[in-house]
Amino acid sequence: MLTKIENLSEYFLAYEKSVANPETFWGRVANQFFWRKKWDKVVDYNFEKADVKWFENAKLNITENILERYLYTLGDKPAIIWEPNDPKEKGITLTYKQLFEKVCEFSNVLKKNGIEKGDRVIIYMPMIPEAAIAMLACARVGAVHSVVFAGFSSSALADRVNDCEAKMVLTSDGNFRGAKSIPVKEVVDEALEKCTTIEKVIVAQRTKTEVTMKAGRDLWWHEETAKVDTQHKAEEMDSEDMLFILYTSGSTGKPKGVVHTTGGYMVYTQYSFQNVFQYNSDDVYWCTADVGWITGHSYIVYGPLLSGATTIMFEGVPTYPDAGRFWEICDKYKVNQFYTAPTAIRALQAFGLDPVTPYKLDSLKVLGTVGEPINEEAWHWYHDHIGKGKCPIVDTWWQTETGGIMISPLAGLTPTKPAYATLPLPGIRPIIVDAEGKELKGNGVQGNLCINFPWPSMIRTTYGDHQRCIDTYFSTYKGMYFTGDGVKRDEDGYYRILGRVDDVINVSGHRMGTAEVENAINEHPLVVESAVVGYPHEIKGQGIYAYVICDTEGRTEASLKDEIKATVNKIIGPIAKPDKIQIVPGLPKTRSGKIMRRILRKVAENDTSSLGDTSTLLNPEVVDEIIKGAQ
Ligand code: WTA
């Protein structure tokens, strides 16, 4: 590949060029793709209006850059290797040629069932090959996919369907996860009671459990694909046409639909994939994320497939049938690049070395982490026991909104330092500002992380509400994209991400807006008010601590807490269930009625020695009671 960086001095050179002349730099990278028509201008932007365009007026279809592009050169190479939940079940390998056929076939199914360019399609599916096929088929016909993590509840699913006014849902009968078989279609049925825009639901068969099929609306995947052929001409898309919407949590209660467009996302996910992981043509790459999150979009599906890579999709969980499952899969497929989340590493570390030692792990060349800060202890365990001291760790910092990896070592090229994401990728210009937005120049500084120049895969808007995009990302600091993260730049110029500085917490690598969890808790009829904060959690990184004011109406505290957890489970899903709930007589409030979260955070962290000034509180007496009742 022309733009693959092969040593550290090439990285510095590429970085310099990308800053000195971004148009030439990205134009050269983009030239490696297949465009039906090239762009008039590489980049145009106005951050104050959150208006960003890459490869203006260029025409393409992203799937032609995966399927047609590799058909003759890599047709028989495995594109997707699917490993089922149960190791005794046979996996599935799809070569590039087979993937091409399956995507075309399903594109025809979408068209036949009324999907047109620009329509929104919800994908609510477990980790089965059909999920990736569905995404690519949407992209091929020009429909906008919005994948909703299959662990979300029916009410969270309904909110997303309604927000983007989707026309179709793609789903499965059920989902195998560890020892459990979980209903999926049933959740869709419940959600759709609250939706009016869905015309068709297509159901892939996985668990073969019985499901209700609504006449005129619900169709079976295998029956529909049997009716169409495997030829399909891809729709022509503009570079700035929407590729997908992915909902994510922010500081306010309502999830926002982060919008990514076609050309820039394609260029950047491929470029970052090949450089960060230093992928070589015969390597086998495995990212353990779920396609319901951005990591699954960019680094299971698009980035690897655009690079002609072999990408593994794993249906199951790291601890089933035992805590050696990841390592068993690494040996089975001779995985070369392995990419996971710190929470998974910590969870597996807790089992000790017995589940690791039976495996050779000698194919591994690169280890990656993503989603949350990795603590040094987990970094060393990963490095020593999984990488056997010889695999570089790429600690990749990025976000749903950034579309691709922003700050990360390039594997084997950038010298690493535990817990540091190290240096920005070419084209990425991080700057650190203080609370007032003043740039903190030089090394040895700490503040809020912003990016002050566009990059190709950045967020374009929040679906249906552009003002929200401006307010959330481009208004805190004028002329800059604000990430919401705190950061330190050390004496070597290396970046270390310190975590969120807004009301977002990071639970097992999943982003959770505290307001969203509070809204869910408040749905319980006896709850008067609640406040949610994060606290350090050994495995999850951060746990959810909820302070709740409620009437007990004769119930015990324990049963009330169970009911509150069940409410959150129903409204959002199991990932948002509070780890700790404390029933409190009141919440510390300022005279203007704002909850003083700083105090609640300190109590949750069990650090009440320095609560700071509480004299401005309306109800200072409540603080002592909260401390007394702390969990
Ligand atoms: C956090 C996941 C430290 C960060 C790709 C960010 C990280 C949020 C790292 C985005 C990392 C992600 N080190 N923190 N390597 N990677 N984060 O949108 O707080 O699910 O803002 O995207 O995760 O989470 P999201």
Side-chain angles (χ1 to χ4, degrees), residues 1-6 23-36 38-39 55 60-62 64-66 68-70 73 263 266-275 305-308:
M1 286 271 173
L2 188 63
T3 51
K4 184 154 170 211
I5 296 169
E6 312 225 318
E23 303 235 354
T24 312
F25 179 83
W26 288 115
R28 191 165 159 265
V29 176
N31 264 327
Q32 298 171 100
F33 292 84
F34 171 68
W35 305 83
R36 292 202 191 166
K38 289 257 170 94
W39 49 92
F55 310 110
L60 74 156
N61 187 288
I62 192 168
E64 284 185 340
N65 282 278
I66 295 172
E68 276 87 345
R69 185 183 187 186
Y70 294 123
T73 48
M266 170 180 80
V267 169
Y268 194 78
T269 51
Q270 196 270 335
Y271 179 79
S272 52
F273 172 76
Q274 70 169 27
N275 282 308
L305 294 176
L306 285 160
S307 306

Side-chain angles (χ1 to χ4, degrees), residues 108 173 181 183 187 197 218 222 278 292 324 332 425 506 555 559 570:
N108 289 328
D173 48 359
S181 166
V187 183
T197 56
D218 301 352
H222 60 278
Q278 289 289 302
K332 178 173 176 186
L425 262 65
N506 196 323
R555 290 169 169 81
S559 68
K570 188 160 184 313

Side-chain angles (χ1 to χ4, degrees), residues 248 294-295 369-373 395-401 483 485 497 499-500 506 509 511:
T248 189
I294 191 69
T295 307
T369 76
V370 58
E372 50 177 322
D395 177 354
T396 64
W397 173 81
W398 58 296
Q399 310 179 293
T400 304
E401 295 85 345
T483 63
D485 279 319
I497 307 298
R500 304 286 307 194
N506 196 323
R511 255 166 85 163

